[in-house]
Amino acid sequence: MTIFPLAGLLFDLDGTLIDTAPDLADAANHMLTRLGRPVRDEAAVCGWIGDGVPRLIKRALTGERFAEPDPALFEEAQSLYNTYYEAHVADRSRLYPGVAQTLADLRADGFRMACVTNKAGRFAKPLLRALNIASYFDLILCGDELPRVKPDPLPLVTACERLGVVRHGAALVGDSGNDMRAAKAAGMPALAVAYGYHHGVDLTALGAAAVTPTFADVRNFFRFEGRFLCAKALP
Protein backbone atom coordinates (compact mmCIF):
# COMPACT_ATOMS: atom_id res chain seq x y z
CA MET A 1 0.00 0.00 0.00
CA THR A 2 1.52 3.29 -1.11
CA ILE A 3 0.08 6.47 0.38
CA PHE A 4 0.29 9.63 -1.71
CA PRO A 5 -0.14 12.65 0.57
CA LEU A 6 -2.36 15.31 -0.92
CA ALA A 7 -0.05 17.76 -2.68
CA GLY A 8 -2.00 19.29 -5.57
CA LEU A 9 -5.40 20.95 -5.76
CA LEU A 10 -7.11 21.66 -9.07
CA PHE A 11 -10.01 24.11 -9.25
CA ASP A 12 -12.68 24.68 -11.85
CA LEU A 13 -13.47 28.36 -12.53
CA ASP A 14 -17.07 29.13 -13.60
CA GLY A 15 -19.51 28.12 -10.89
CA THR A 16 -16.75 27.05 -8.48
CA LEU A 17 -14.53 30.08 -7.89
CA ILE A 18 -16.54 32.78 -9.61
CA ASP A 19 -20.21 33.45 -10.35
CA THR A 20 -19.78 34.43 -13.99
CA ALA A 21 -23.44 34.12 -15.04
CA PRO A 22 -24.20 37.88 -15.01
CA ASP A 23 -21.47 38.75 -17.52
CA LEU A 24 -22.17 35.67 -19.63
CA ALA A 25 -25.82 36.72 -19.79
CA ASP A 26 -24.93 40.30 -20.70
CA ALA A 27 -22.71 39.08 -23.53
CA ALA A 28 -25.42 36.73 -24.81
CA ASN A 29 -28.03 39.49 -24.78
CA HIS A 30 -25.70 41.96 -26.48
CA MET A 31 -25.17 39.37 -29.20
CA LEU A 32 -28.89 38.66 -29.55
CA THR A 33 -29.75 42.36 -29.66
CA ARG A 34 -27.21 42.99 -32.42
CA LEU A 35 -28.74 40.10 -34.35
CA GLY A 36 -32.26 41.46 -33.90
CA ARG A 37 -33.36 38.57 -31.73
CA PRO A 38 -35.23 38.51 -28.40
CA VAL A 39 -33.03 38.72 -25.31
CA ARG A 40 -32.94 35.95 -22.69
CA ASP A 41 -33.28 36.37 -18.95
CA GLU A 42 -30.28 35.69 -16.76
CA ALA A 43 -31.78 32.56 -15.23
CA ALA A 44 -32.16 31.01 -18.67
CA VAL A 45 -28.55 31.77 -19.57
CA CYS A 46 -27.39 30.35 -16.23
CA GLY A 47 -29.06 27.09 -17.22
CA TRP A 48 -26.95 26.96 -20.39
CA ILE A 49 -23.56 27.33 -18.69
CA GLY A 50 -21.25 24.36 -18.36
CA ASP A 51 -20.34 23.11 -21.81
CA GLY A 52 -18.23 26.00 -23.07
CA VAL A 53 -18.99 29.34 -24.71
CA PRO A 54 -19.67 27.97 -28.22
CA ARG A 55 -22.43 25.72 -26.87
CA LEU A 56 -23.84 28.58 -24.77
CA ILE A 57 -24.02 30.71 -27.92
CA LYS A 58 -25.82 27.94 -29.81
CA ARG A 59 -28.31 27.56 -26.96
CA ALA A 60 -28.97 31.30 -26.94
CA LEU A 61 -29.60 31.24 -30.69
CA THR A 62 -31.84 28.17 -30.73
CA GLY A 63 -33.34 27.99 -27.24
CA GLU A 64 -32.43 24.29 -27.18
CA ARG A 65 -29.59 22.51 -25.39
CA PHE A 66 -28.04 20.69 -28.32
CA ALA A 67 -29.53 22.17 -31.48
CA GLU A 68 -27.22 23.45 -34.23
CA PRO A 69 -27.90 26.91 -35.69
CA ASP A 70 -27.05 27.92 -39.23
CA PRO A 71 -23.21 27.89 -39.47
CA ALA A 72 -23.00 31.42 -40.90
CA LEU A 73 -25.27 32.75 -38.19
CA PHE A 74 -23.24 31.01 -35.52
CA GLU A 75 -19.98 32.46 -36.85
CA GLU A 76 -21.42 35.99 -36.77
CA ALA A 77 -22.91 35.44 -33.33
CA GLN A 78 -19.68 34.05 -31.92
CA SER A 79 -17.71 37.06 -33.13
CA LEU A 80 -20.22 39.45 -31.53
CA TYR A 81 -20.26 37.47 -28.29
CA ASN A 82 -16.50 37.07 -27.93
CA THR A 83 -15.73 40.71 -28.68
CA TYR A 84 -18.22 41.94 -26.10
CA TYR A 85 -17.41 39.37 -23.43
CA GLU A 86 -13.67 39.96 -23.67
CA ALA A 87 -14.25 43.66 -22.96
CA HIS A 88 -16.72 43.03 -20.12
CA VAL A 89 -15.48 39.78 -18.60
CA ALA A 90 -15.42 41.09 -15.02
CA ASP A 91 -18.10 43.78 -14.99
CA ARG A 92 -20.55 41.88 -12.80
CA SER A 93 -18.83 38.56 -12.10
CA ARG A 94 -18.03 38.03 -8.43
CA LEU A 95 -16.09 35.58 -6.27
CA TYR A 96 -18.20 33.16 -4.32
CA PRO A 97 -18.05 33.76 -0.54
CA GLY A 98 -14.84 32.58 1.08
CA VAL A 99 -12.89 31.99 -2.14
CA ALA A 100 -10.07 34.50 -1.72
CA GLN A 101 -9.36 33.70 1.93
CA THR A 102 -9.58 29.95 1.41
CA LEU A 103 -7.19 30.04 -1.55
CA ALA A 104 -4.77 32.11 0.51
CA ASP A 105 -4.99 29.62 3.37
CA LEU A 106 -4.51 26.60 1.09
CA ARG A 107 -1.51 28.30 -0.48
CA ALA A 108 -0.08 28.88 2.99
CA ASP A 109 -0.71 25.19 3.76
CA GLY A 110 1.78 24.37 1.01
CA PHE A 111 -0.50 22.96 -1.69
CA ARG A 112 0.45 23.27 -5.34
CA MET A 113 -2.63 24.75 -7.00
CA ALA A 114 -4.01 25.08 -10.52
CA CYS A 115 -7.11 26.56 -12.06
CA VAL A 116 -8.24 24.16 -14.79
CA THR A 117 -11.03 25.62 -16.88
CA ASN A 118 -12.73 25.01 -20.22
CA LYS A 119 -12.88 28.78 -20.62
CA ALA A 120 -10.57 30.25 -23.27
CA GLY A 121 -7.46 32.00 -21.98
CA ARG A 122 -8.47 35.38 -23.44
CA PHE A 123 -11.39 35.35 -20.99
CA ALA A 124 -10.17 33.27 -18.04
CA LYS A 125 -6.84 34.90 -17.28
CA PRO A 126 -8.07 38.55 -17.32
CA LEU A 127 -11.04 37.49 -15.18
CA LEU A 128 -8.85 35.84 -12.55
CA ARG A 129 -6.55 38.88 -12.53
CA ALA A 130 -9.45 41.33 -12.26
CA LEU A 131 -10.82 39.54 -9.21
CA ASN A 132 -7.33 39.33 -7.65
CA ILE A 133 -6.97 35.56 -7.35
CA ALA A 134 -4.65 34.72 -10.26
CA SER A 135 -1.58 34.91 -8.03
CA TYR A 136 -2.77 32.01 -5.86
CA PHE A 137 -2.32 29.55 -8.70
CA ASP A 138 0.91 27.95 -9.80
CA LEU A 139 -0.81 27.15 -13.10
CA ILE A 140 -3.82 28.43 -15.05
CA LEU A 141 -4.74 25.89 -17.72
CA CYS A 142 -7.40 27.10 -20.15
CA GLY A 143 -9.69 25.38 -22.58
CA ASP A 144 -7.93 26.53 -25.73
CA GLU A 145 -4.50 25.21 -24.73
CA LEU A 146 -5.13 21.49 -25.27
CA PRO A 147 -6.90 19.44 -27.96
CA ARG A 148 -9.55 18.20 -25.48
CA VAL A 149 -11.39 19.76 -22.54
CA LYS A 150 -13.28 18.43 -19.51
CA PRO A 151 -14.97 15.94 -19.20
CA ASP A 152 -11.94 14.44 -20.94
CA PRO A 153 -9.23 13.77 -18.32
CA LEU A 154 -6.46 15.36 -20.42
CA PRO A 155 -6.60 18.81 -18.75
CA LEU A 156 -6.37 17.29 -15.26
CA VAL A 157 -3.57 14.92 -16.23
CA THR A 158 -1.68 17.77 -17.90
CA ALA A 159 -2.16 20.05 -14.90
CA CYS A 160 -0.70 17.43 -12.58
CA GLU A 161 2.29 16.95 -14.87
CA ARG A 162 2.96 20.68 -15.00
CA LEU A 163 2.53 21.07 -11.24
CA GLY A 164 4.91 18.17 -10.63
CA VAL A 165 2.43 16.12 -8.60
CA VAL A 166 1.14 12.60 -9.18
CA ARG A 167 -2.54 12.20 -10.05
CA HIS A 168 -3.16 10.10 -6.94
CA GLY A 169 -1.79 12.96 -4.86
CA ALA A 170 -4.14 15.55 -6.36
CA ALA A 171 -7.83 16.36 -6.08
CA LEU A 172 -10.28 18.44 -8.10
CA VAL A 173 -12.81 20.94 -6.77
CA GLY A 174 -15.67 21.59 -9.18
CA ASP A 175 -19.37 22.22 -9.58
CA SER A 176 -20.47 20.26 -12.64
CA GLY A 177 -20.89 16.82 -14.12
CA ASN A 178 -18.04 17.57 -16.51
CA ASP A 179 -15.73 18.13 -13.53
CA MET A 180 -16.76 14.90 -11.82
CA ARG A 181 -16.45 12.82 -15.00
CA ALA A 182 -13.02 14.28 -15.76
CA ALA A 183 -11.73 13.53 -12.26
CA LYS A 184 -13.05 9.99 -12.35
CA ALA A 185 -11.43 9.37 -15.73
CA ALA A 186 -8.15 10.85 -14.46
CA GLY A 187 -8.18 8.60 -11.40
CA MET A 188 -8.33 11.37 -8.82
CA PRO A 189 -10.91 12.28 -6.18
CA ALA A 190 -13.24 15.22 -6.68
CA LEU A 191 -14.97 17.46 -4.17
CA ALA A 192 -18.17 19.07 -5.47
CA VAL A 193 -19.48 22.44 -4.33
CA ALA A 194 -23.24 22.51 -3.77
CA TYR A 195 -23.74 25.86 -5.52
CA GLY A 196 -22.66 26.67 -9.10
CA TYR A 197 -24.00 25.44 -12.41
CA HIS A 198 -24.71 21.75 -11.90
CA HIS A 199 -28.40 22.22 -12.85
CA GLY A 200 -29.67 19.76 -10.28
CA VAL A 201 -27.48 16.85 -11.35
CA ASP A 202 -26.54 14.45 -8.54
CA LEU A 203 -22.77 14.98 -8.51
CA THR A 204 -22.21 12.22 -5.96
CA ALA A 205 -23.71 9.75 -8.41
CA LEU A 206 -21.19 10.99 -10.97
CA GLY A 207 -18.26 10.28 -8.67
CA ALA A 208 -17.89 13.18 -6.25
CA ALA A 209 -16.27 11.98 -3.03
CA ALA A 210 -18.34 14.53 -1.13
CA VAL A 211 -20.31 17.74 -1.58
CA THR A 212 -19.48 20.89 0.35
CA PRO A 213 -22.05 23.67 0.84
CA THR A 214 -19.56 26.54 0.74
CA PHE A 215 -16.09 27.16 -0.64
CA ALA A 216 -14.88 28.05 2.85
CA ASP A 217 -15.41 24.39 3.82
CA VAL A 218 -12.94 23.19 1.18
CA ARG A 219 -9.87 23.72 3.35
CA ASN A 220 -11.19 21.79 6.33
CA PHE A 221 -12.29 18.94 4.10
CA PHE A 222 -8.85 18.48 2.61
CA ARG A 223 -6.97 19.10 5.84
CA PHE A 224 -8.83 16.31 7.63
CA GLU A 225 -9.71 13.93 4.81
CA GLY A 226 -7.03 14.44 2.19
CA ARG A 227 -4.94 11.44 3.26
CA PHE A 228 -7.93 9.13 2.94
CA LEU A 229 -8.96 10.57 -0.43
CA CYS A 230 -5.52 10.19 -1.94
CA ALA A 231 -4.60 6.75 -0.66
CA LYS A 232 -3.85 4.44 -3.60
CA ALA A 233 -2.99 0.76 -3.54
CA LEU A 234 -0.29 -0.06 -6.06
CA PRO A 235 0.69 -3.51 -7.37
Side-chain angles (χ1 to χ4, degrees), residues 37 40 48 56-67:
R37 291 172 171 249
R40 309 284 189 169
W48 297 333
L56 188 154
I57 292 170
K58 292 177 180 180
R59 288 168 179 165
L61 292 173
T62 66
E64 299 179 26
R65 291 194 65 78
F66 296 107

Side-chain angles (χ1 to χ4, degrees), residues 10-12 116-117 139 141 146 148 150-163 165 167 170-172 178-190:
L10 314 181
F11 297 90
D12 175 55
V116 183
T117 175
L139 170 70
L141 186 60
L146 298 172
R148 298 185 301 280
K150 298 176 293 183
D152 192 279
L154 178 63
L156 305 188
V157 173
T158 301
C160 289
E161 291 173 350
R162 294 184 183 179
L163 288 177
V165 301
R167 278 182 280 166
L172 173 70
N178 283 342
D179 294 320
M180 302 305 112
R181 293 184 185 98
K184 184 176 182 179
M188 67 176 63

Side-chain angles (χ1 to χ4, degrees), residues 101-214:
Q101 185 60 57
T102 300
L103 290 176
D105 290 341
L106 290 168
R107 181 86 175 182
D109 288 338
F111 289 109
R112 298 278 290 167
M113 300 200 299
C115 178
V116 183
T117 175
N118 287 355
K119 206 178 196 76
R122 65 191 280 198
F123 308 134
K125 292 179 180 180
L127 174 60
L128 291 167
R129 288 195 296 266
L131 295 185
N132 300 311
I133 60 171
S135 62
Y136 293 123
F137 298 108
D138 301 288
L139 170 70
I140 299 171
L141 186 60
C142 301
D144 53 353
E145 297 181 45
L146 298 172
R148 298 185 301 280
V149 298
K150 298 176 293 183
D152 192 279
L154 178 63
L156 305 188
V157 173
T158 301
C160 289
E161 291 173 350
R162 294 184 183 179
L163 288 177
V165 301
V166 295
R167 278 182 280 166
H168 305 310
L172 173 70
V173 181
D175 72 302
S176 73
N178 283 342
D179 294 320
M180 302 305 112
R181 293 184 185 98
K184 184 176 182 179
M188 67 176 63
L191 174 64
V193 294
Y195 54 86
Y197 310 135
H198 55 78
H199 314 307
V201 173
D202 183 351
L203 299 180
T204 303
L206 294 178
V211 179
T212 177
T214 70

